Amino acid sequence: MKVGFIDHHLNNYHADKFFSIFKDGKAGDGIEIVAAYESHPDDKEDWCLKNGVPKAGSAAEVVEKADAIMVLAPDNFEAHLVLSAEAVRSGKPVLIDKALAKNLEDARTIISDAHNAGTPVMSASPLRFSMELEELIARVGEGPYDGIFSRGFGKWRGYAVHSIQPALRLLGGRVKRVIDTGQGSNHNITIENADGRRAVVEIRECDNQFDATPWQIGVLRDKKYEIVTVKQFDEFYVNLLKEAVQFFRTGQSPVPVEEMLDEVMVEVAADSSFNSGGQWVEVGL
């Protein structure tokens, strides 16, 4: 299968990691990166030259050469709408890395354009497919649960997706309202779905965040919490790309479109709540 990368700048951890996993065959056999395009090259080394990947002069060229397209820009998801435009109108499977978009209008436009063109779209954080989360669900079974929390670290509106998507996977249903009672660089978010069930998401940014606030996920069932700490970092990238390859081959995303949109909605609503001093924000389904 021929896969192409579209990115803001290719010298980033995700481009390197994904290329390495594909090259080593860890996500499946027969995957070839046939073209890569970056809209804003940096002044570092030439990523395409370093990795032996043909450099494309445009996103359209990547779409033309590839059977499936990956839109990366993990640190510039405000550019996802523009970067994905050619791909989502192509009819070819498109994976958009991490959050679908920075705002709900862009996210809805991407999904609408893809729907009109018959283009399968998948957007996901690798944390949604962590070994630990898979093991947790296998151990306690599917929801609904009596309680859910997902906590983690990192810069808000960059790392938030890594804690929000596991929570949404466990919560199920559509998001109804959101509140963020955090302060400073710390966010304490409660997500309530249409059935009135809730998940709590905590995201903290600090100098010792890897040690002090690791990614943890917990569910309450039968008055007992089952909690896992995500430690197998390489594995969640491999799992994401295994899911991506299956998606490329079948056109069936493991992440529902509604969940992709709700993840963006939670971030936008949490911003509104945070800036209003911590008030519930109702969201449109």
Side-chain angles (χ1 to χ4, degrees):
M1 176 177 288
K2 298 177 181 179
V3 175
F5 286 1
I6 297 173
D7 212 330
H8 182 271
H9 56 277
L10 284 161
N11 281 306
N12 67 72
Y13 185 78
H14 279 206
D16 289 342
K17 194 69 176 177
F18 294 170
F19 179 78
S20 174
I21 290 170
F22 282 136
K23 183 179 179 181
D24 293 344
K26 293 180 180 178
D29 296 328
I31 305 299
E32 179 186 4
I33 308 303
V34 296
Y37 166 74
E38 53 187 346
S39 61
H40 293 71
D42 55 27
D43 57 0
K44 300 178 183 178
E45 61 186 328
D46 188 315
W47 188 92
C48 288
L49 183 63
K50 176 182 69 175
N51 291 293
V53 174
K55 180 183 292 187
S58 65
E61 184 180 344
V62 174
V63 172
E64 179 183 357
K65 291 182 176 179
D67 301 316
I69 302 100
M70 298 180 68
V71 179
L72 304 184
D75 301 316
N76 299 92
F77 54 98
E78 73 282 353
H80 278 175
L81 177 65
V82 172
L83 290 175
S84 68
E86 293 283 348
V88 299
R89 298 188 185 108
S90 70
K92 299 177 180 181
V94 179
L95 179 136
I96 299 178
D97 194 17
K98 291 171 65 171
L100 191 60
K102 189 171 184 178
N103 61 67
L104 200 53
E105 181 181 1
D106 284 3
R108 284 174 170 158
T109 298
I110 290 169
I111 294 300
S112 176
D113 288 350
H115 176 76
N116 291 338
T119 300
V121 171
M122 171 183 170
S123 178
S125 157
L127 269 293
R128 192 186 189 279
F129 305 107
S130 70
M131 297 292 291
E132 294 83 0
L133 179 55
E134 299 292 350
E135 291 163 2
L136 176 66
I137 294 172
R139 186 164 72 243
V140 302
E142 298 287 342
Y145 307 103
D146 300 319
I148 299 166
F149 73 78
S150 176
R151 61 173 62 109
F153 60 84
K155 186 177 181 181
W156 175 246
R157 298 310 300 272
Y159 272 65
V161 62
H162 297 319
S163 295
I164 292 171
Q165 270 211 336
L168 291 179
R169 179 179 176 184
L170 293 168
L171 183 62
R174 297 305 306 273
V175 173
K176 180 182 179 182
R177 60 178 185 164
V178 176
I179 188 171
D180 185 347
T181 55
Q183 189 175 43
S185 61
N186 301 311
H187 295 263
N188 188 13
I189 301 159
T190 300
I191 305 167
E192 183 177 289
N193 72 6
D195 296 328
R197 294 188 178 275
R198 296 179 178 180
V200 175
V201 177
E202 303 169 22
I203 303 165
R204 297 184 174 89
E205 183 181 0
C206 55
D207 289 343
N208 62 334
Q209 57 192 21
F210 281 94
D211 297 321
T213 61
W215 281 309
Q216 288 187 319
I217 306 162
V219 296
L220 177 65
R221 172 163 281 169
D222 298 328
K223 298 182 180 180
K224 293 181 180 180
Y225 258 108
E226 295 285 345
I227 301 170
V228 294
T229 301
V230 177
K231 296 180 180 179
Q232 300 178 75
F233 291 2
D234 285 345
E235 285 78 4
F236 60 58
Y237 286 114
V238 172
N239 284 355
L240 169 66
L241 294 190
K242 284 181 177 178
E243 294 284 352
V245 169
Q246 181 70 6
F247 161 68
F248 292 156
R249 288 174 173 155
T250 66
Q252 300 298 313
S253 170
V255 186
V257 168
E258 294 80 8
E259 186 180 315
M260 300 180 210
L261 290 170
D262 277 357
E263 193 285 322
V264 179
M265 193 180 297
V266 168
E267 292 195 36
V268 172
D271 270 340
S272 179
S273 176
F274 185 88
N275 293 331
S276 71
Q279 304 293 319
W280 279 105
V281 174
E282 301 282 337
V283 299
L285 297 180

